[in-house]
Amino acid sequence: MHEMSITQSVVDAIVSRLGSQAVRSVRLEIGRLSGVVPDSVRFCFDVVCAGTSLQGAELEIDEPPGRAACRDCGVEFGIDDPILLCACGSANVEVLAGRQLRIKSVEVV
């Protein structure tokens, strides 16, 4: 489960930036095409936060949809499935959004 190491990296990044300052909440953005399972991150969050300045912090996750553009027909379309296929049948698509994984905000006490 790579979500454990991803969650650990998020917590480490926040602790390195804020030190021992108590954190009330963390908001993440996990795109639907990122390959990261938000429910797994939620499960790991409390475990990884134990004993840190994030212990007891609330986790909020935004899950923006994917967007892609077909290089063959030029159509831009929404996609939430990792199988990147345009309605025209082409797999020659460019992902425009949905792969992001970032810390959007951190609220301190």
Side-chain angles (χ1 to χ4, degrees), residues 10-21:
V10 166
V11 171
D12 290 347
I14 294 169
V15 168
S16 73
R17 189 75 179 255
L18 298 176
S20 62
Q21 191 170 10

Side-chain angles (χ1 to χ4, degrees), residues 24-79:
R24 177 172 296 149
S25 67
V26 174
R27 170 168 267 152
L28 301 179
E29 184 174 63
I30 301 175
R32 293 187 185 155
L33 300 177
S34 68
V36 177
V37 180
D39 285 340
S40 295
V41 172
R42 285 183 186 96
F43 175 79
C44 297
F45 187 74
D46 289 334
V47 173
V48 172
C49 289
T52 73
S53 58
L54 282 84
Q55 185 167 332
E58 179 184 346
L59 176 63
E60 302 169 36
I61 299 177
D62 297 332
E63 299 178 56
R67 299 250 356 121
C70 181
R71 290 184 181 110
D72 291 335
C73 73
V75 170
E76 188 175 311
F77 56 97
I79 187 165

